[in-house]
Amino acid sequence: MTVPPTVAEITDKAFDRVFRAEYARVVGIATRVLGDRSKAEDVAQDAFLALHSRHCSEQAWAGGWVCAAAAHAALNVLRADRRRSRREQLAASAAETIDPAVAAEQADDGRILRAALARLPQRAATVLVLRHSGLSYAAVATAMGVKQGAVGTMVRRAESALRKEVGRAASQ
Amino acid sequence: MRHLSDGALRRVHDDRFAGSNREREHLDRCDRCRQRARGVAADATFAATLLARPEAATASTDAALARLRQRITEGAQAGRALTTPPRVAVRRWAIGAVVVPVVAAGLVVSANAAGWLSIFSPTQVAPVALTVGDLSGLPDLSGYGHMHLSNVEPREVAGAAQAAAATGLKALRPVLPADVPTAVRWEVIGNGSATFTFDAATADAAAVRAGRAAPAIPAGLNGTTVTVTAGPAMVALYGGSSAASSDPLTSTPTLVIAESVRPAASTNGATLQQLEDFLVAQPGVSAQLAAEIRAIGNASSTLPIPVIAGLMTSQTISIDGVQGVVTGDSTGLGSAVIWEKNGVVYAVGGLLSQNEVLDIARSLR
């Protein structure tokens, strides 16, 4: 006789499925914010641990939830880091995999981006990171808890604010 | 037609077929919209350039999953992480919701003619810090006796007037931030109750099944029934579609506003001192948790709000002239504020910041 799976077994399978489907994207989201692969992987671990602890991974919104949780957590880490110090955060692992000239250029871009993200309102920074990490308008709406029709406006305003912040930083 | 909105222009930048035929035709012939579209495209390209990162080789997903599984296992052993499956976790939460108020109730405040002692009738709220270890270690009451929960399924009603009529509560209306949907659904929940009867024979049988020593239930406690009642209640859900939606993605509300007649607890046998002494002494109720509960002060009139250290933040605030508790998800994803006034417990929560839920709560009229 086949023994039916327990609730725990079903839940574990659902969690593993969400982890495998979303892990690379979640690390990508945190890397965009932090510019540090190692820190991003730690943030991803914490986001998935929070998902495991608090929610049933069988929910269709589990993937969006963990992406948003990672974006929020990464932005919080970024702001805390900036408060503590001004140290460079570019990942050594990332620098090893790209051309040194490109790495130097991107290190500069990374500093500018992180400074601007840290100054933007949390929701604006989150919507920027989620959308530019490849989440669809529908997925961003779910992750942010807003209507899908509002996402275009939120993205537009966030991109405009980002450009102004970068311009302001460059002029200082 | 009117000019395209900024949001519509941004969507068209991502997908030129987004929007209606009329919008596309308008964009083709409106110089002003085309000029705005160029500005939108420039900002979008600028952001995409800054946010585009070369994807260095990612760590193996399998290795990352193994690392996470290891953390979950270690956390369970150290009592740092909640590793129980959701059904068990929910049951423990429910048990915690019963145990904490019962343990918190330090005084017998009145007795009615039927011999039931009213042991808990809160008039204020206060946070109680729990660790995840506390939560997963709370005693499972099913090993001590019989529990019965009355069926309290929420029922959707047509509107605020019907919700007020069904519950006897005033349906409050908030001032909403611009990005919270104004579409609202109303649900009502009738009177609910949970009873728990201590039974030494059940405790013995559970202990035999689990292969461990039976908890010693004092003679005065054996046969005592504790009843917790709550409701009626109404819930307003802003955003998200109806529960019948086939897509759970779209059924998650952005904001939830709930009101409930305050809960109350009573017993028909043992004194509160016996209950408190017994429950606090159980394995899994840490000395810290017991101290937190005893530190509440006027426990029989205070509704403890469990706050899990490391996963949630909390602070007491003043709202509508009384003390409330605002709690938040430590990731910043969601927040809630809870307070009690004139026999009604209010809760406002959602995928919003603490400031936003506080502003919404304070705008209720």
Side-chain angles (χ1 to χ4, degrees), chain A residues 15-16 20 23 32 37 41-42 45-46 53-54 61 65 72 123 131 137 142 145 153 156 159 163, chain B residues 7 10-11 14 40 42-44 51 56 59 62 64 67-69 71 82 179 249 252 254 329 331 333:
Chain A
F15 178 77
D16 286 2
R20 290 182 195 286
Y23 181 70
R32 277 174 174 81
R37 171 76 55 181
E41 289 179 357
D42 287 344
Q45 289 273 322
D46 289 344
S53 300
R54 280 177 263 174
W61 42 258
W65 187 92
H72 281 286
R123 282 171 79 79
R131 178 64 189 138
Y137 280 61
T142 303
T153 304
R156 164 65 188 141
E159 287 170 346
R163 192 163 195 177
Chain B
R10 184 61 185 80
R11 286 197 304 277
D14 280 336
V40 167
D43 286 353
L51 284 156
D62 285 340
R67 179 184 163 203
L68 185 63
R69 287 277 175 213
R71 284 183 68 189
L82 178 63
D179 55 358
L249 267 175
T252 307
T254 305
D329 178 331
T331 65
L333 195 61

Side-chain angles (χ1 to χ4, degrees), chain B:
Chain B
M1 70 171 282
R2 292 166 55 186
H3 295 296
L4 271 66
S5 69
D6 280 356
L9 289 172
R10 184 61 185 80
R11 286 197 304 277
V12 169
H13 172 75
D14 280 336
D15 175 6
R16 65 192 184 91
F17 296 110
S20 65
N21 287 337
R22 287 184 66 194
E23 284 177 325
R24 285 197 294 274
E25 286 166 12
H26 175 88
L27 186 56
D28 283 343
R29 62 173 186 272
C30 175
D31 289 342
R32 185 175 161 191
C33 282
R34 281 209 305 277
Q35 186 177 353
R36 288 171 56 226
R38 284 193 286 276
V40 167
D43 286 353
T45 304
F46 181 81
T49 305
L50 271 187
L51 284 156
R53 307 294 302 170
E55 295 298 330
T58 56
S60 156
T61 300
D62 285 340
L65 181 54
R67 179 184 163 203
L68 185 63
R69 287 277 175 213
Q70 178 72 20
R71 284 183 68 189
I72 290 168
T73 305
E74 289 171 357
Q77 288 165 353
R80 286 196 305 269
L82 178 63
T83 58
T84 46
R87 191 176 66 172
V88 176
V90 168
R91 192 177 63 179
R92 287 196 188 281
W93 267 109
I95 290 163
V98 174
V99 169
V100 172
V102 167
V103 174
L107 296 170
V108 176
V109 294
S110 68
N112 66 23
W116 284 83
L117 305 174
S118 173
I119 56 175
F120 182 59
S121 183
T123 56
Q124 61 177 344
V125 298
V128 171
L130 295 170
T131 64
V132 178
D134 282 334
L135 187 62
S136 55
L138 281 177
D140 185 343
L141 283 189
S142 66
Y144 295 79
H146 310 290
M147 180 175 276
H148 175 74
L149 299 169
S150 67
N151 190 16
V152 284
E153 287 294 314
R155 174 170 61 89
E156 189 157 343
V157 294
Q162 289 82 355
T167 59
L169 298 166
K170 181 183 176 188
L172 298 173
R173 298 287 196 164
V175 176
L176 297 174
D179 55 358
V180 173
T182 54
V184 57
R185 291 178 289 123
W186 294 87
E187 292 183 353
V188 298
I189 305 165
N191 264 316
S193 68
T195 62
F196 180 80
T197 304
F198 288 90
D199 178 23
T202 302
D204 289 343
V208 169
R209 282 197 301 275
R212 54 180 164 70
I217 295 183
L221 211 56
N222 192 22
T224 287
T225 296
V226 178
T227 300
V228 179
T229 60
M234 72 165 74
V235 183
L237 302 114
Y238 291 83
S241 59
S242 82
S245 164
S246 58
D247 183 2
L249 267 175
T250 58
S251 64
T252 307
T254 305
L255 170 70
V256 176
I257 299 175
E259 300 170 49
S260 173
V261 171
R262 69 180 170 207
S266 54
T267 75
N268 67 344
T271 66
L272 246 294
Q273 195 58 55
Q274 282 178 297
L275 276 172
E276 180 177 326
D277 289 348
F278 175 71
L279 290 171
V280 166
Q282 295 310 300
V285 177
S286 67
Q288 239 179 334
L289 173 58
E292 280 273 348
I293 290 166
R294 287 182 173 130
I296 289 175
N298 190 5
S300 63
S301 61
T302 302
L303 178 63
I305 307 298
V307 175
I308 305 172
L311 297 180
M312 296 166 72
T313 60
S314 80
Q315 64 184 101
T316 55
I317 43 93
S318 175
I319 181 165
D320 200 13
V322 298
Q323 176 178 290
V325 173
V326 60
T327 70
D329 178 331
S330 58
T331 65
L333 195 61
S335 309
V337 57
I338 302 160
W339 72 103
E340 172 169 342
K341 187 167 186 183
N342 298 332
V344 179
V345 178
Y346 300 89
V348 175
L351 298 168
L352 299 161
S353 70
Q354 292 193 2
N355 284 339
E356 285 173 316
V357 296
L358 267 176
D359 286 346
I360 293 168
R362 287 175 170 144
S363 75
L364 290 174
R365 294 288 180 272

